[in-house]
Amino acid sequence: MIGGGQGAFIGGVHRMAAAIAGNWQLVAGAFSSTPEKSRASGAEIGVAADRTYGSWVEMLEREKALPDDQRIEVVAIVTPNHMHAPPAIAALEAGFDVIIDKPLADTLANARAIADAAARTGRKIAVTHTYTGYPLVKQARAMVASGELGAIRRVMVKYTQDWLSRPDDLIGNKQAEWRVDPARSGEAGAFGDIGTHAANLVEFITGERITAICAELAMLPGRRIDDDGAALFRLSGGGRGTLTASQICVGDANDLAISVYGEKAGLHWRQEQPNSLTVGRRDQPTQTWHAGANRAYLSPALQAIQRTPGGHPEGYLEAFANIYAAFGRSIRGVASEDGEPGFATMDDAIAGMTFIRASLDSSSKGAVWVDLSTII
Amino acid sequence: MIGGGQGAFIGGVHRMAAAIAGNWQLVAGAFSSTPEKSRASGAEIGVAADRTYGSWVEMLEREKALPDDQRIEVVAIVTPNHMHAPPAIAALEAGFDVIIDKPLADTLANARAIADAAARTGRKIAVTHTYTGYPLVKQARAMVASGELGAIRRVMVKYTQDWLSRPDDLIGNKQAEWRVDPARSGEAGAFGDIGTHAANLVEFITGERITAICAELAMLPGRRIDDDGAALFRLSGGGRGTLTASQICVGDANDLAISVYGEKAGLHWRQEQPNSLTVGRRDQPTQTWHAGANRAYLSPALQAIQRTPGGHPEGYLEAFANIYAAFGRSIRGVASEDGEPGFATMDDAIAGMTFIRASLDSSSKGAVWVDLSTII
Amino acid sequence: MIGGGQGAFIGGVHRMAAAIAGNWQLVAGAFSSTPEKSRASGAEIGVAADRTYGSWVEMLEREKALPDDQRIEVVAIVTPNHMHAPPAIAALEAGFDVIIDKPLADTLANARAIADAAARTGRKIAVTHTYTGYPLVKQARAMVASGELGAIRRVMVKYTQDWLSRPDDLIGNKQAEWRVDPARSGEAGAFGDIGTHAANLVEFITGERITAICAELAMLPGRRIDDDGAALFRLSGGGRGTLTASQICVGDANDLAISVYGEKAGLHWRQEQPNSLTVGRRDQPTQTWHAGANRAYLSPALQAIQRTPGGHPEGYLEAFANIYAAFGRSIRGVASEDGEPGFATMDDAIAGMTFIRASLDSSSKGAVWVDLSTII
Amino acid sequence: MIGGGQGAFIGGVHRMAAAIAGNWQLVAGAFSSTPEKSRASGAEIGVAADRTYGSWVEMLEREKALPDDQRIEVVAIVTPNHMHAPPAIAALEAGFDVIIDKPLADTLANARAIADAAARTGRKIAVTHTYTGYPLVKQARAMVASGELGAIRRVMVKYTQDWLSRPDDLIGNKQAEWRVDPARSGEAGAFGDIGTHAANLVEFITGERITAICAELAMLPGRRIDDDGAALFRLSGGGRGTLTASQICVGDANDLAISVYGEKAGLHWRQEQPNSLTVGRRDQPTQTWHAGANRAYLSPALQAIQRTPGGHPEGYLEAFANIYAAFGRSIRGVASEDGEPGFATMDDAIAGMTFIRASLDSSSKGAVWVDLSTII
């Protein structure tokens, strides 16, 4: 693992997810930007001292030098966005597979460089778009793919939080500090951090791509990066949608919610209550689908990724674990039951970076339409 | 009453609303476009035969000729949109007050003509934007006005239905037929019929006006008028929002829902469950406010317009009745308890018509921003 | 109308319900216990002075003396419970049909006397168990009757309020005062006032009778009558259930909620959100049925009693109006579409009174089982 | 670990819970009733072959013989109920601490024998009443303890499932088979399996004990043990309640839900949506408390046991992990932040077994009241 030391948030989530997944073991790490902090973190986490490295450069070098059956197999990268590309590319080139937090990189160029490295080296790489790890999000995708909704007409997606809603929210908050610093977070703020989750969710469920966007981003006085914004967008299949991403919507914690309407049905899912999926059809009672390892109406593949029977709620960590588990199986060459990778691919991640770039372009020009195919 | 004969929908709603309001009596009407149908309708409704007229022209003439204490006081206009302006203007000029369904008219020009007539004659006129009749919508407005939310930052509003979701939904449906005919409905379809409710709700709750809009409207193949669309908008106070209005969102019945986020709190209301209002604040439990005539935490004015104690749900008809009751009191010169008119005024209605016009302009130019102050 | 004068609550509800029903007209009344208050109330309500009577005795005498086509047809009795039997019996004997609030009377003996009078005179009589007027409660009953649930196994019903939750809630509250006075309310407090609604709902939906009950009633210090209690009960079809009725459950307004589980499905309904009905089946997504005059999946009879399309919530007053409308049609000899009376009959009301008597007996003996067939 | 081999359910849950807790390591086990199955299970789970034992007797003997710093510290017992007491007592006597699934044993006598062994040996022992591991259940308990609700008046608790709702549900289901066999499950079925969770939840939140119960249990034709039942109960503080526990309530998955009403407030929690807690007060908006590691309105102790910020749902496994984590800290001698043990103690477990015994006694005598202090 690269990153995820003391004071970090998402690194611990990756570790718990891997533990729940059950097919991972954390054996080495360079957890912080300084050797001292890295070692202290490693000791706390329980990684052997001789495999807790002072820097990621050192880790890659020394692990590569170990015999095949002793060295690490995969590198998990959980650093701030600007520190994604260098270790990712180096790890791929050192012959390791990579699992990396989203968004893929701080800039589209760096993201493409990672994707190129993956293609060049033939190593596997997964991006942790957590929310696609929820079983009922996969069910939603399966329903659209099977034609149950018909052609998609309209999408509404929102991802709203309130942790940056006060002007002074930057001070003394490690999570906030790097996220609002363009040098570390990348060009985009809320649209990069959570807008890309929302866009990814749209693309995952519909099986389409966002082709054009008209976005207006904003920020509180004194900020250097967007903390709020909304967009109209068009989908490759002809549908249209609205997307809101904001970190200043007071009272909302992590409110990712999506509605997808097709010719024959509409479906609704909300991350804060992830174990139900609502499906509306005309002239029929509304259906609520429930998660659960024993739900006979879910596909065997969806049953298999759940750990507990219906009514025992699984949550965010289990969704995250599903991504780790799927990437683990992929690395081991185990075919997925339903033909899905189970994690976001380079294509998905580049689409996300293009979405960010197009949103910024659109907004900076006064919220005009930008065609994503023109983004280079 | 003008309109509202056999086969009509909203006329019956107006009559029930007036009955619940308790300060109205229906004594005369021209209920249909032909004398025969008007008479049949009048008999069914229970209006005396000698005051069931063959046309609205006849009604206005003959009622005007009656002695002061026998003639009608107010004319309720519940015809399709293109038949709003002529009887409304005539009624005002004949010295009657007018209550009229929304949108105010088929075109902005006709809407302005009505407003001019009202101003010229000094008669009172109310527009039935039903949803502002709900007690908790008024509570939401009061909270914003009192500063409890602080400056408004973001609004999300949607109004979705599915009754036009099938291409053949026009055939044999009286409600659908005129609404999708530009000659009768006016230039806009869904944006006129329900988008204007959504826009009105935004303006009512925030106490601000929509100043600019970027809208993309669409319609199913074979249609002549929008049945679906979405927009970004800006508010006079600096906030921003998204608005979706659609009659092709499968599974949704009458799903008007709004979220308003300010600096200090966010509030959420949904028409299909109108008796609760959710208020989110940072670092505090979410509050759910409940309707009820005996809720001590609602203002006396809000308690007074409810008919039953908390937990006895009031609905759409009671909200509609609140508008009738308020206009009735206004006509009688009874001051409202909270200084609010209790119904949509000409200013509100003209704002709605401007919203429609701007949305159409924006969409026809490829979904560009249109400043509402430029609409003439 | 007998009762329902100034300061009363349920009388106004009856009047609004009748107005919404549309097939009723209020033409005469004895609204209060004193002639002066009756006259003042009548003037306020808008009943002609010459038909506002000083007492119900006077009203029945003078109305009976009027010609057939001028006199009242039905008497609505909305007095406190102890004043149900005398005017009801007199009205029936004077040849009038009767609609009467629940519970039918203060004591089982008085209830039987009313039922006997109805049988003897052949007049029609309806009891306003409001909650069976909701369309989706009727839908629930229809589902059980059709065998969709199979044999009923278990029922949970609760009716909780908090308006008597403070020891001093009796002082200065006209609604509370008579309800907690055994001389006016009858022997039971909460179990009579709302427990009987809960029991009626069980019997209405299941189509069965409660055959045995084990109830424990309680009251706050200083009270003379139960304000809280719960019971186990058995149904005629072999199922079992729990019932809670309380007026001291802090935070609850009018929370009548029921779950009915059969061999094949379970259904759930809650009065505070009356426009949805949830149906659970094993190995199938949960269904939510929605109210609405245009819901094709509801029977024509259920569509016909609703006034607005799906998504326009109807509430308590409309449910009440459905009872008035059905009784009005019954009096006119119009057959109901679905063969249901549409209001609670003498059998239902006597069952309710027996339930009250058995609950009191059970509780006073230490919460032992009481067989309702032994109640005399 | 004793039990939890191939085909078992709860063993895997214990293992995941321990992994999430982070302060546990699984190093040895006797996973099945036969040495072969135990070894196969151990290999699958990833326990070293030389510490996968053929029987729990062998495991205790050989682990005890290991040096202090090599042998296991705690034994987790996840066998069917009838196999709780023998290994638990042996483990305690061998000097190991014990964590054991609920109910504590198959019979009250065996439960007492375990408790006696714990007292005699001075070893620590925890019972995994999972649902008390949820942060908001702890919050509910804290609110009652702090006096925010005042004296408790009424409780409603239900725990309903449908996995035994069909007569043939016993065949070929390993989970069902032992649970419905009195020889393995103990005397009680649903009341032992889930009724005791419900009772424990009541006692945990109220901080009181159930002192008397009147229960009626039932079972489908052909069953030997209760699969359904309900009870009235009395609390040590004077409050009263109803409890339903059923495995034949069609459409319900794992629906544990509780309402607790006190003099000043009522609170409501439902396991299937565990991250919110609703609090009703009179004349105030309803509050919804939300889970989350960063919720400033939760106590530091409650924040500390959560892994993710508000809006990232934690679920059943995390609640279970909280119990493991707390017991782990207790074994290490780390004092809990809030003075709570964080797991069910012998007192709690004996109370649960007494509840089962009293329920069975009550039901077998025709659902009469049984005083729990008379249970021996």
PDB file of all heavy atoms in Angstrom, chain C residues 112 203 209-214 233-234 350-359 370-376:
ATOM      1  N   ARG C 112     -76.673  -2.122  21.971  1.00  0.00           N
ATOM      2  CA  ARG C 112     -77.653  -3.134  21.539  1.00  0.00           C
ATOM      3  C   ARG C 112     -79.044  -2.522  21.395  1.00  0.00           C
ATOM      4  O   ARG C 112     -79.806  -2.883  20.504  1.00  0.00           O
ATOM      5  CB  ARG C 112     -77.677  -4.274  22.566  1.00  0.00           C
ATOM      6  CG  ARG C 112     -76.431  -5.148  22.488  1.00  0.00           C
ATOM      7  CD  ARG C 112     -76.761  -6.608  22.783  1.00  0.00           C
ATOM      8  NE  ARG C 112     -75.564  -7.427  22.531  1.00  0.00           N
ATOM      9  CZ  ARG C 112     -74.785  -7.931  23.502  1.00  0.00           C
ATOM     10  NH1 ARG C 112     -75.059  -7.707  24.763  1.00  0.00           N
ATOM     11  NH2 ARG C 112     -73.738  -8.671  23.163  1.00  0.00           N
ATOM     12  N   GLU C 203     -60.713  -6.280  11.891  1.00  0.00           N
ATOM     13  CA  GLU C 203     -61.848  -7.088  11.428  1.00  0.00           C
ATOM     14  C   GLU C 203     -62.227  -6.743   9.990  1.00  0.00           C
ATOM     15  O   GLU C 203     -62.603  -7.622   9.214  1.00  0.00           O
ATOM     16  CB  GLU C 203     -63.044  -6.896  12.371  1.00  0.00           C
ATOM     17  CG  GLU C 203     -62.730  -7.373  13.798  1.00  0.00           C
ATOM     18  CD  GLU C 203     -63.937  -7.492  14.710  1.00  0.00           C
ATOM     19  OE1 GLU C 203     -64.955  -6.795  14.444  1.00  0.00           O
ATOM     20  OE2 GLU C 203     -63.873  -8.254  15.684  1.00  0.00           O
ATOM     21  N   ARG C 209     -63.572 -12.029  12.835  1.00  0.00           N
ATOM     22  CA  ARG C 209     -63.884 -11.363  14.093  1.00  0.00           C
ATOM     23  C   ARG C 209     -62.831 -11.720  15.133  1.00  0.00           C
ATOM     24  O   ARG C 209     -62.243 -12.795  15.093  1.00  0.00           O
ATOM     25  CB  ARG C 209     -65.257 -11.803  14.633  1.00  0.00           C
ATOM     26  CG  ARG C 209     -66.453 -11.328  13.815  1.00  0.00           C
ATOM     27  CD  ARG C 209     -66.727  -9.838  13.992  1.00  0.00           C
ATOM     28  NE  ARG C 209     -67.878  -9.423  13.171  1.00  0.00           N
ATOM     29  CZ  ARG C 209     -68.040  -8.192  12.685  1.00  0.00           C
ATOM     30  NH1 ARG C 209     -67.133  -7.257  12.915  1.00  0.00           N
ATOM     31  NH2 ARG C 209     -69.093  -7.889  11.955  1.00  0.00           N
ATOM     32  N   ILE C 210     -62.594 -10.801  16.040  1.00  0.00           N
ATOM     33  CA  ILE C 210     -61.776 -11.091  17.216  1.00  0.00           C
ATOM     34  C   ILE C 210     -62.629 -11.958  18.142  1.00  0.00           C
ATOM     35  O   ILE C 210     -63.740 -11.579  18.488  1.00  0.00           O
ATOM     36  CB  ILE C 210     -61.365  -9.774  17.914  1.00  0.00           C
ATOM     37  CG1 ILE C 210     -60.408  -8.996  16.995  1.00  0.00           C
ATOM     38  CG2 ILE C 210     -60.730 -10.061  19.272  1.00  0.00           C
ATOM     39  CD1 ILE C 210     -60.031  -7.614  17.509  1.00  0.00           C
ATOM     40  N   THR C 211     -62.094 -13.140  18.516  1.00  0.00           N
ATOM     41  CA  THR C 211     -62.906 -14.068  19.309  1.00  0.00           C
ATOM     42  C   THR C 211     -62.499 -14.108  20.775  1.00  0.00           C
ATOM     43  O   THR C 211     -63.284 -14.510  21.620  1.00  0.00           O
ATOM     44  CB  THR C 211     -62.794 -15.493  18.744  1.00  0.00           C
ATOM     45  OG1 THR C 211     -61.395 -15.855  18.737  1.00  0.00           O
ATOM     46  CG2 THR C 211     -63.345 -15.555  17.327  1.00  0.00           C
ATOM     47  N   ALA C 212     -61.241 -13.746  21.055  1.00  0.00           N
ATOM     48  CA  ALA C 212     -60.796 -13.770  22.449  1.00  0.00           C
ATOM     49  C   ALA C 212     -59.721 -12.714  22.619  1.00  0.00           C
ATOM     50  O   ALA C 212     -58.986 -12.395  21.672  1.00  0.00           O
ATOM     51  CB  ALA C 212     -60.247 -15.144  22.815  1.00  0.00           C
ATOM     52  N   ILE C 213     -59.637 -12.202  23.820  1.00  0.00           N
ATOM     53  CA  ILE C 213     -58.690 -11.115  24.064  1.00  0.00           C
ATOM     54  C   ILE C 213     -58.124 -11.213  25.477  1.00  0.00           C
ATOM     55  O   ILE C 213     -58.795 -11.654  26.410  1.00  0.00           O
ATOM     56  CB  ILE C 213     -59.376  -9.746  23.824  1.00  0.00           C
ATOM     57  CG1 ILE C 213     -58.334  -8.640  23.755  1.00  0.00           C
ATOM     58  CG2 ILE C 213     -60.417  -9.458  24.904  1.00  0.00           C
ATOM     59  CD1 ILE C 213     -58.813  -7.424  23.021  1.00  0.00           C
ATOM     60  N   CYS C 214     -56.859 -10.831  25.564  1.00  0.00           N
ATOM     61  CA  CYS C 214     -56.193 -10.754  26.862  1.00  0.00           C
ATOM     62  C   CYS C 214     -55.577  -9.358  26.910  1.00  0.00           C
ATOM     63  O   CYS C 214     -54.591  -9.086  26.221  1.00  0.00           O
ATOM     64  CB  CYS C 214     -55.120 -11.844  26.936  1.00  0.00           C
ATOM     65  SG  CYS C 214     -54.018 -11.692  28.362  1.00  0.00           S
ATOM     66  N   PHE C 233     -54.721 -11.030  21.022  1.00  0.00           N
ATOM     67  CA  PHE C 233     -56.075 -11.455  20.622  1.00  0.00           C
ATOM     68  C   PHE C 233     -56.005 -12.633  19.661  1.00  0.00           C
ATOM     69  O   PHE C 233     -54.956 -12.923  19.092  1.00  0.00           O
ATOM     70  CB  PHE C 233     -56.873 -10.287  20.025  1.00  0.00           C
ATOM     71  CG  PHE C 233     -56.320  -9.716  18.748  1.00  0.00           C
ATOM     72  CD1 PHE C 233     -56.593 -10.305  17.513  1.00  0.00           C
ATOM     73  CD2 PHE C 233     -55.534  -8.569  18.760  1.00  0.00           C
ATOM     74  CE1 PHE C 233     -56.088  -9.756  16.335  1.00  0.00           C
ATOM     75  CE2 PHE C 233     -55.017  -8.023  17.583  1.00  0.00           C
ATOM     76  CZ  PHE C 233     -55.306  -8.621  16.371  1.00  0.00           C
ATOM     77  N   ARG C 234     -57.133 -13.297  19.549  1.00  0.00           N
ATOM     78  CA  ARG C 234     -57.264 -14.422  18.600  1.00  0.00           C
ATOM     79  C   ARG C 234     -58.365 -14.111  17.614  1.00  0.00           C
ATOM     80  O   ARG C 234     -59.354 -13.467  17.967  1.00  0.00           O
ATOM     81  CB  ARG C 234     -57.590 -15.715  19.354  1.00  0.00           C
ATOM     82  CG  ARG C 234     -56.498 -16.130  20.329  1.00  0.00           C
ATOM     83  CD  ARG C 234     -56.894 -17.351  21.147  1.00  0.00           C
ATOM     84  NE  ARG C 234     -55.910 -17.583  22.216  1.00  0.00           N
ATOM     85  CZ  ARG C 234     -56.212 -17.985  23.471  1.00  0.00           C
ATOM     86  NH1 ARG C 234     -57.466 -18.239  23.793  1.00  0.00           N
ATOM     87  NH2 ARG C 234     -55.251 -18.161  24.359  1.00  0.00           N
ATOM     88  N   ILE C 350     -71.492  -3.479  16.983  1.00  0.00           N
ATOM     89  CA  ILE C 350     -71.703  -4.318  18.172  1.00  0.00           C
ATOM     90  C   ILE C 350     -70.420  -5.106  18.461  1.00  0.00           C
ATOM     91  O   ILE C 350     -70.025  -5.277  19.626  1.00  0.00           O
ATOM     92  CB  ILE C 350     -72.911  -5.256  17.966  1.00  0.00           C
ATOM     93  CG1 ILE C 350     -74.195  -4.445  17.865  1.00  0.00           C
ATOM     94  CG2 ILE C 350     -72.976  -6.303  19.098  1.00  0.00           C
ATOM     95  CD1 ILE C 350     -74.597  -3.721  19.142  1.00  0.00           C
ATOM     96  N   ALA C 351     -69.754  -5.558  17.398  1.00  0.00           N
ATOM     97  CA  ALA C 351     -68.467  -6.242  17.592  1.00  0.00           C
ATOM     98  C   ALA C 351     -67.492  -5.301  18.299  1.00  0.00           C
ATOM     99  O   ALA C 351     -66.754  -5.711  19.200  1.00  0.00           O
ATOM    100  CB  ALA C 351     -67.899  -6.708  16.257  1.00  0.00           C
ATOM    101  N   GLY C 352     -67.497  -4.044  17.915  1.00  0.00           N
ATOM    102  CA  GLY C 352     -66.609  -3.069  18.539  1.00  0.00           C
ATOM    103  C   GLY C 352     -66.930  -2.872  20.015  1.00  0.00           C
ATOM    104  O   GLY C 352     -66.047  -2.792  20.869  1.00  0.00           O
ATOM    105  N   MET C 353     -68.224  -2.793  20.318  1.00  0.00           N
ATOM    106  CA  MET C 353     -68.623  -2.603  21.711  1.00  0.00           C
ATOM    107  C   MET C 353     -68.293  -3.850  22.545  1.00  0.00           C
ATOM    108  O   MET C 353     -67.922  -3.741  23.717  1.00  0.00           O
ATOM    109  CB  MET C 353     -70.126  -2.309  21.780  1.00  0.00           C
ATOM    110  CG  MET C 353     -70.561  -1.001  21.118  1.00  0.00           C
ATOM    111  SD  MET C 353     -69.791   0.502  21.812  1.00  0.00           S
ATOM    112  CE  MET C 353     -70.287   0.385  23.525  1.00  0.00           C
ATOM    113  N   THR C 354     -68.425  -5.005  21.930  1.00  0.00           N
ATOM    114  CA  THR C 354     -68.084  -6.255  22.631  1.00  0.00           C
ATOM    115  C   THR C 354     -66.589  -6.306  22.906  1.00  0.00           C
ATOM    116  O   THR C 354     -66.153  -6.745  23.975  1.00  0.00           O
ATOM    117  CB  THR C 354     -68.528  -7.458  21.781  1.00  0.00           C
ATOM    118  OG1 THR C 354     -69.897  -7.295  21.406  1.00  0.00           O
ATOM    119  CG2 THR C 354     -68.352  -8.760  22.547  1.00  0.00           C
ATOM    120  N   PHE C 355     -65.829  -5.845  21.931  1.00  0.00           N
ATOM    121  CA  PHE C 355     -64.375  -5.759  22.110  1.00  0.00           C
ATOM    122  C   PHE C 355     -64.026  -4.874  23.314  1.00  0.00           C
ATOM    123  O   PHE C 355     -63.177  -5.209  24.133  1.00  0.00           O
ATOM    124  CB  PHE C 355     -63.733  -5.211  20.821  1.00  0.00           C
ATOM    125  CG  PHE C 355     -62.377  -4.618  21.018  1.00  0.00           C
ATOM    126  CD1 PHE C 355     -61.242  -5.434  21.015  1.00  0.00           C
ATOM    127  CD2 PHE C 355     -62.207  -3.247  21.199  1.00  0.00           C
ATOM    128  CE1 PHE C 355     -59.974  -4.880  21.201  1.00  0.00           C
ATOM    129  CE2 PHE C 355     -60.949  -2.698  21.382  1.00  0.00           C
ATOM    130  CZ  PHE C 355     -59.832  -3.514  21.391  1.00  0.00           C
ATOM    131  N   ILE C 356     -64.701  -3.741  23.430  1.00  0.00           N
ATOM    132  CA  ILE C 356     -64.432  -2.835  24.553  1.00  0.00           C
ATOM    133  C   ILE C 356     -64.766  -3.522  25.883  1.00  0.00           C
ATOM    134  O   ILE C 356     -63.958  -3.543  26.809  1.00  0.00           O
ATOM    135  CB  ILE C 356     -65.272  -1.540  24.412  1.00  0.00           C
ATOM    136  CG1 ILE C 356     -64.826  -0.730  23.200  1.00  0.00           C
ATOM    137  CG2 ILE C 356     -65.181  -0.701  25.686  1.00  0.00           C
ATOM    138  CD1 ILE C 356     -65.710   0.485  22.907  1.00  0.00           C
ATOM    139  N   ARG C 357     -65.956  -4.100  25.935  1.00  0.00           N
ATOM    140  CA  ARG C 357     -66.422  -4.766  27.163  1.00  0.00           C
ATOM    141  C   ARG C 357     -65.462  -5.900  27.560  1.00  0.00           C
ATOM    142  O   ARG C 357     -65.076  -6.033  28.723  1.00  0.00           O
ATOM    143  CB  ARG C 357     -67.825  -5.323  26.872  1.00  0.00           C
ATOM    144  CG  ARG C 357     -68.559  -5.992  27.999  1.00  0.00           C
ATOM    145  CD  ARG C 357     -68.948  -5.031  29.083  1.00  0.00           C
ATOM    146  NE  ARG C 357     -67.994  -5.176  30.172  1.00  0.00           N
ATOM    147  CZ  ARG C 357     -67.733  -4.265  31.069  1.00  0.00           C
ATOM    148  NH1 ARG C 357     -68.331  -3.103  31.026  1.00  0.00           N
ATOM    149  NH2 ARG C 357     -66.846  -4.476  32.004  1.00  0.00           N
ATOM    150  N   ALA C 358     -65.050  -6.687  26.581  1.00  0.00           N
ATOM    151  CA  ALA C 358     -64.161  -7.824  26.862  1.00  0.00           C
ATOM    152  C   ALA C 358     -62.794  -7.327  27.315  1.00  0.00           C
ATOM    153  O   ALA C 358     -62.163  -7.920  28.201  1.00  0.00           O
ATOM    154  CB  ALA C 358     -64.027  -8.704  25.618  1.00  0.00           C
ATOM    155  N   SER C 359     -62.310  -6.251  26.726  1.00  0.00           N
ATOM    156  CA  SER C 359     -61.010  -5.699  27.117  1.00  0.00           C
ATOM    157  C   SER C 359     -61.050  -5.231  28.565  1.00  0.00           C
ATOM    158  O   SER C 359     -60.120  -5.469  29.341  1.00  0.00           O
ATOM    159  CB  SER C 359     -60.636  -4.529  26.205  1.00  0.00           C
ATOM    160  OG  SER C 359     -60.540  -4.958  24.866  1.00  0.00           O
ATOM    161  N   VAL C 370     -60.351 -13.512  27.765  1.00  0.00           N
ATOM    162  CA  VAL C 370     -61.806 -13.436  27.784  1.00  0.00           C
ATOM    163  C   VAL C 370     -62.312 -13.804  26.395  1.00  0.00           C
ATOM    164  O   VAL C 370     -61.836 -13.269  25.395  1.00  0.00           O
ATOM    165  CB  VAL C 370     -62.279 -12.011  28.162  1.00  0.00           C
ATOM    166  CG1 VAL C 370     -63.777 -11.865  27.953  1.00  0.00           C
ATOM    167  CG2 VAL C 370     -61.896 -11.699  29.596  1.00  0.00           C
ATOM    168  N   ASP C 371     -63.256 -14.721  26.402  1.00  0.00           N
ATOM    169  CA  ASP C 371     -63.866 -15.171  25.143  1.00  0.00           C
ATOM    170  C   ASP C 371     -64.986 -14.198  24.799  1.00  0.00           C
ATOM    171  O   ASP C 371     -65.901 -13.997  25.600  1.00  0.00           O
ATOM    172  CB  ASP C 371     -64.404 -16.590  25.393  1.00  0.00           C
ATOM    173  CG  ASP C 371     -64.928 -17.225  24.116  1.00  0.00           C
ATOM    174  OD1 ASP C 371     -65.387 -16.478  23.227  1.00  0.00           O
ATOM    175  OD2 ASP C 371     -64.877 -18.456  24.028  1.00  0.00           O
ATOM    176  N   LEU C 372     -64.932 -13.581  23.626  1.00  0.00           N
ATOM    177  CA  LEU C 372     -65.926 -12.554  23.310  1.00  0.00           C
ATOM    178  C   LEU C 372     -67.342 -13.111  23.188  1.00  0.00           C
ATOM    179  O   LEU C 372     -68.312 -12.371  23.319  1.00  0.00           O
ATOM    180  CB  LEU C 372     -65.551 -11.780  22.046  1.00  0.00           C
ATOM    181  CG  LEU C 372     -64.712 -10.523  22.323  1.00  0.00           C
ATOM    182  CD1 LEU C 372     -63.305 -10.871  22.759  1.00  0.00           C
ATOM    183  CD2 LEU C 372     -64.675  -9.607  21.119  1.00  0.00           C
ATOM    184  N   SER C 373     -67.456 -14.407  22.972  1.00  0.00           N
ATOM    185  CA  SER C 373     -68.798 -14.988  22.852  1.00  0.00           C
ATOM    186  C   SER C 373     -69.479 -15.066  24.214  1.00  0.00           C
ATOM    187  O   SER C 373     -70.686 -15.281  24.297  1.00  0.00           O
ATOM    188  CB  SER C 373     -68.719 -16.385  22.234  1.00  0.00           C
ATOM    189  OG  SER C 373     -68.115 -17.289  23.146  1.00  0.00           O
ATOM    190  N   THR C 374     -68.705 -14.868  25.287  1.00  0.00           N
ATOM    191  CA  THR C 374     -69.308 -14.913  26.623  1.00  0.00           C
ATOM    192  C   THR C 374     -69.770 -13.544  27.104  1.00  0.00           C
ATOM    193  O   THR C 374     -70.338 -13.420  28.184  1.00  0.00           O
ATOM    194  CB  THR C 374     -68.296 -15.456  27.662  1.00  0.00           C
ATOM    195  OG1 THR C 374     -67.222 -14.494  27.791  1.00  0.00           O
ATOM    196  CG2 THR C 374     -67.717 -16.788  27.232  1.00  0.00           C
ATOM    197  N   ILE C 375     -69.478 -12.533  26.308  1.00  0.00           N
ATOM    198  CA  ILE C 375     -69.857 -11.165  26.703  1.00  0.00           C
ATOM    199  C   ILE C 375     -71.347 -10.972  26.463  1.00  0.00           C
ATOM    200  O   ILE C 375     -71.828 -11.177  25.355  1.00  0.00           O
ATOM    201  CB  ILE C 375     -69.059 -10.129  25.887  1.00  0.00           C
ATOM    202  CG1 ILE C 375     -67.571 -10.277  26.146  1.00  0.00           C
ATOM    203  CG2 ILE C 375     -69.543  -8.707  26.200  1.00  0.00           C
ATOM    204  CD1 ILE C 375     -67.140  -9.982  27.552  1.00  0.00           C
ATOM    205  N   ILE C 376     -72.043 -10.565  27.497  1.00  0.00           N
ATOM    206  CA  ILE C 376     -73.480 -10.351  27.302  1.00  0.00           C
ATOM    207  C   ILE C 376     -73.889  -8.955  27.756  1.00  0.00           C
ATOM    208  O   ILE C 376     -73.202  -8.273  28.447  1.00  0.00           O
ATOM    209  CB  ILE C 376     -74.321 -11.381  28.084  1.00  0.00           C
ATOM    210  CG1 ILE C 376     -73.722 -11.571  29.499  1.00  0.00           C
ATOM    211  CG2 ILE C 376     -74.317 -12.699  27.314  1.00  0.00           C
ATOM    212  CD1 ILE C 376     -74.618 -12.339  30.431  1.00  0.00           C
TER     213      ILE C 376
END
